Amino acid sequence: MREWAGKRYWVVGASEGLGRALATKMSRAGAHLVVSARDEGRLAELAEELPGQTTIAPCDVSDDESVKEAAGLAGDVDGVVYLASVYWPQSAREWNAGQVTAMCDINFTGCARVLGQAVPGMVARDSGHVVITGSLTAFRGLPGSIGYTASKAALLSLAECMHYDLRKTGVDVQVIHPGFIRTRQTEKNDFSMPFIMDPEPAAEIMFDFMQTDRFKKSFPALFSYVFRGSQFLPDWAYYRMFGG
């Protein structure tokens, strides 16, 4: 079991949905949270609700200077949890350049910006905990998901590289792949979303996993088998099955 009491964690993407629910669980466990998102008002509301010590660090993860300023407010942290994400469903036939760039820049490059501020200090102290929130879509390309799926696949690769480099140090790296979670993002979908979860039970699964020393977690378990198993299909079978 991981010790939370008195630990300082920077939670990026904490103002809504899964991030907000997870921040609540971490605060109840005794962590001192530094909460970041673009909406300072929502962060202030969250800080009022959380039972533990909370520092507000507004941050636009698509902006280098904003991330540096937030990192300065966060200081030396024991852990970073990255949940910031944007999403617009779209096919490559209907490519919206601004939206695709935003998905790549916030979902993936934003994570790299945040970790670039926090990880060097962890390595120097030989102590730290990094949690990256991916998606079941990370395992293979899907129709109608230009931008989002690519950004989540990049997060998986980033986590795997970090895990390889840091696994024999005091810095723990974890990546978590949720399925559909009921948020403002999934409200944009006009298709059936199997095994969709509310943020609170999804946060419970994440928090339980974060207390372990395991590297990777995908959930819901039954639904995740479809995505993980798709990696072993030949292209002709995969595209016939998933491409409609």
Side-chain angles (χ1 to χ4, degrees):
M1 297 289 286
R2 198 176 298 275
E3 179 60 45
W4 299 99
K7 299 296 184 180
R8 189 177 179 91
Y9 270 74
W10 187 11
V11 183
V12 182
S15 64
E16 302 285 346
L18 180 58
R20 195 179 189 91
L22 182 61
T24 300
K25 293 190 177 296
M26 295 174 67
S27 182
R28 288 174 180 164
H32 173 184
L33 298 187
V34 180
V35 292
S36 288
R38 285 176 291 184
D39 191 332
E40 188 171 357
R42 290 291 286 162
L43 291 176
E45 292 174 6
L46 174 61
E48 287 292 324
E49 296 172 4
L50 294 178
Q53 189 174 0
T54 308
T55 300
I56 296 174
C59 180
D60 178 355
V61 299
S62 67
D63 181 84
D64 288 340
E65 291 305 315
S66 180
V67 172
K68 288 178 182 178
E69 289 177 12
L73 292 172
D76 291 336
V77 293
D78 298 291
V80 175
V81 185
Y82 193 85
L83 302 111
S85 178
V86 293
Y87 167 68
W88 293 274
Q90 63 189 268
S91 165
R93 299 178 182 179
E94 301 161 339
W95 194 300
N96 181 306
Q99 292 176 351
V100 171
T101 299
M103 284 186 275
C104 294
D105 200 23
I106 292 171
N107 301 359
F108 170 64
T109 311
C111 182
R113 288 189 182 95
V114 167
L115 297 184
Q117 295 298 313
V119 171
M122 293 181 179
V123 172
R125 296 187 299 273
D126 197 32
S127 177
H129 183 201
V130 175
V131 181
I132 296 172
T133 308
S135 167
L136 291 182
T137 65
F139 293 106
R140 199 155 182 180
L142 291 169
S145 62
I146 286 296
Y148 185 80
T149 290
S151 67
K152 293 299 185 175
L155 283 179
L156 173 56
S157 180
L158 175 67
E160 289 176 338
C161 292
M162 291 178 64
H163 178 62
Y164 187 90
D165 289 342
L166 299 173
R167 71 192 190 285
K168 294 183 180 179
T169 74
V171 182
D172 297 332
V173 179
Q174 295 182 306
V175 60
I176 303 173
H177 299 296
F180 294 115
I181 298 173
R182 194 169 280 108
T183 65
R184 290 189 302 177
Q185 291 189 11
T186 52
E187 286 177 357
K188 299 174 182 178
N189 290 334
D190 60 1
F191 53 83
S192 175
M193 293 174 279
F195 301 98
I196 190 168
M197 301 179 69
D198 288 324
E200 289 74 18
E204 185 73 37
I205 292 172
M206 284 189 65
F207 184 65
D208 287 347
F209 176 71
M210 287 165 58
Q211 300 194 66
T212 73
D213 59 1
R214 300 198 305 275
F215 167 55
K216 191 183 298 181
K217 172 75 175 180
S218 300
F219 72 93
L222 184 60
F223 194 37
S224 74
Y225 296 153
V226 175
F227 291 87
R228 292 158 61 195
S230 71
Q231 294 178 295
F232 302 101
L233 290 175
D235 285 346
W236 67 266
Y238 175 76
Y239 288 114
R240 181 174 297 176
M241 180 181 298
F242 284 86

